[in-house]
Amino acid sequence: MGVTIYDIAEKLNISAATVSRVLNQRGDRLISEATQARVLEAAKEMGYTPNTMARALVTGKTRNIALFAEYMQERTGPHFARMVEAMEPKVRELGYRLIVCGELESILGSGMVDGIVLLAASHPQLTPQFDHIARIFVYSTLTPAPNSVCWNDIEGTCEALKYLQSLGHRSIAGILGDITPDMEEHSPKVAGFR
């Protein structure tokens, strides 16, 4: 078992509540700066790491963010990997951990996450079951909704083609993914390419 707040309290001859308040960065004015410095130094020397389960019970926060993608089996390519690589450091910088999940039902109502990033093909307003969880939708649309990060495939494709043309390229082919003939008519990527 690792070092606990009780171990630090015993070493410094102070209360575990004081240690907890310092380590949870509550900025308590009743605790002197000298005591705060002693607690932080002792925690570092003793190799203290917070018990995330215990902290979640006390604070009601898990510090976990779930990344859920519809059609997870189709999102294993380099684009998805780069997205996760870009998100993870930002999530960590904010003091959270990123959990990638392919089954949303397993985390809904579980108390395992504080929020969800949904890579969703469907519109956010079609998913009321998420109302009790903080969420951000990431999807392609021309009309952004609240709590969403959106991209415009038409504009993005046009920008890519303009860039290639500015380099002098005139014969440009497009590999646009699994677009079936019936999807082609409604595909924003195809529209942007055209």
Side-chain angles (χ1 to χ4, degrees):
M1 186 166 166
V3 175
T4 68
I5 61 170
Y6 301 100
D7 299 326
I8 296 169
E10 185 178 329
K11 177 179 178 168
L12 299 177
N13 198 25
I14 59 176
S15 74
T18 299
V19 173
S20 175
R21 293 185 77 80
V22 171
L23 295 176
N24 286 311
Q25 301 172 340
R26 294 188 184 143
D28 196 324
R29 293 181 198 163
L30 299 176
I31 302 172
S32 71
E33 287 184 22
T35 299
Q36 291 183 45
R38 286 177 55 221
V39 169
L40 294 173
E41 182 62 31
K44 186 177 177 182
E45 284 176 11
M46 297 172 74
Y48 171 80
T49 55
N51 180 326
T52 54
M53 300 283 278
R55 182 172 281 179
L57 286 172
V58 171
T59 65
K61 302 273 185 204
T62 65
R63 310 303 293 173
N64 292 329
I65 299 291
L67 170 61
F68 169 76
E70 286 183 327
Y71 315 112
M72 180 64 87
Q73 68 277 9
E74 296 172 15
R75 298 192 186 266
T76 56
H79 176 71
F80 182 74
R82 283 194 302 273
M83 190 182 308
V84 171
E85 286 172 359
M87 287 176 66
E88 203 159 29
K90 185 62 178 176
V91 167
R92 196 171 39 247
E93 178 185 314
L94 295 170
Y96 287 84
R97 287 175 302 277
L98 185 66
I99 299 171
V100 178
C101 66
E103 185 182 302
L104 200 53
E105 290 73 27
S106 65
I107 60 169
L108 281 176
S110 68
M112 292 171 39
V113 298
D114 295 334
I116 302 173
V117 175
L118 294 155
L119 299 177
S122 55
H123 197 275
Q125 292 172 347
L126 300 179
T127 52
Q129 70 266 35
F130 306 127
D131 285 347
H132 65 289
I133 298 176
R135 72 225 183 253
I136 295 174
F137 287 88
V138 181
Y139 63 106
S140 173
T141 184
L142 299 178
T143 55
N147 302 323
S148 64
V149 176
C150 307
W151 68 90
N152 183 326
D153 281 334
I154 295 173
E155 188 178 303
T157 305
C158 285
E159 288 299 314
L161 290 170
K162 285 177 188 173
Y163 174 72
L164 291 172
Q165 288 175 334
S166 75
L167 296 175
H169 299 288
R170 295 294 172 254
S171 296
I172 303 169
I175 302 172
L176 304 173
D178 287 337
I179 297 177
T180 60
D182 58 318
M183 290 170 60
E184 186 175 333
E185 183 180 332
H186 304 290
S187 168
K189 290 178 186 173
V190 172
F193 195 83
R194 286 186 175 142

